[in-house]
Amino acid sequence: SQKYGTEEAVVSTQSTGKLVEIDLNQNEVAVIPSAFTKNESLRVLRLDYNSVTIAGIPNEILADTTISTLSLEGNPLDVRKFREMAGYDKYLERYAATKRKCD
């Protein structure tokens, strides 16, 4: 599969504005662009096996988006610190609501 950088993903998100899911797994992403917060259709952001740390996660991604699934498996981040981030509670509410709909 072809790899894309975050710049291409952000441009794609901004130009379409309708993307529901973005998969950037295994792309050496270190920082989640805050531009992803501007897409009101985005529900799933997959960033597994990248280089994302706590410093690379903007609080807005958790607090002020429609993202209900933020997949960060295989990144060098401290899960405990991630759960303590501002906005994590709001993200968790969206995540739980999505899981309830699927059950």
Side-chain angles (χ1 to χ4, degrees):
S1 71
Q2 188 172 0
K3 294 187 177 196
Y4 296 95
T6 53
E7 289 79 19
E8 289 92 344
V10 170
V11 169
S12 177
T13 300
Q14 291 172 336
S15 62
T16 65
K18 300 286 185 196
L19 289 175
V20 175
E21 180 172 344
I22 296 175
D23 185 334
L24 287 170
N25 291 344
Q26 301 177 333
N27 273 285
E28 300 174 13
V29 175
V31 176
I32 302 173
S34 58
F36 285 141
T37 63
K38 294 174 177 54
N39 181 333
E40 295 179 6
S41 300
L42 188 60
R43 301 288 186 266
V44 179
L45 181 55
R46 299 187 188 284
L47 289 158
D48 296 334
Y49 303 100
N50 281 287
S51 303
V52 179
T53 63
I54 294 298
I57 305 172
N59 288 336
E60 306 87 41
I61 287 288
L62 299 174
D64 301 323
T65 67
T66 54
I67 296 171
S68 57
T69 302
L70 177 58
S71 187
L72 295 167
E73 184 177 324
N75 283 281
L77 57 87
D78 183 327
V79 174
R80 182 181 50 79
K81 288 183 181 177
F82 174 64
R83 291 177 178 158
E84 293 172 354
M85 287 183 67
Y88 181 79
D89 55 338
K90 290 182 179 180
Y91 163 72
L92 198 57
E93 288 173 13
R94 293 190 306 274
Y95 177 81
T98 299
K99 291 300 174 195
R100 280 193 299 273
K101 286 180 187 176
C102 293
D103 290 343

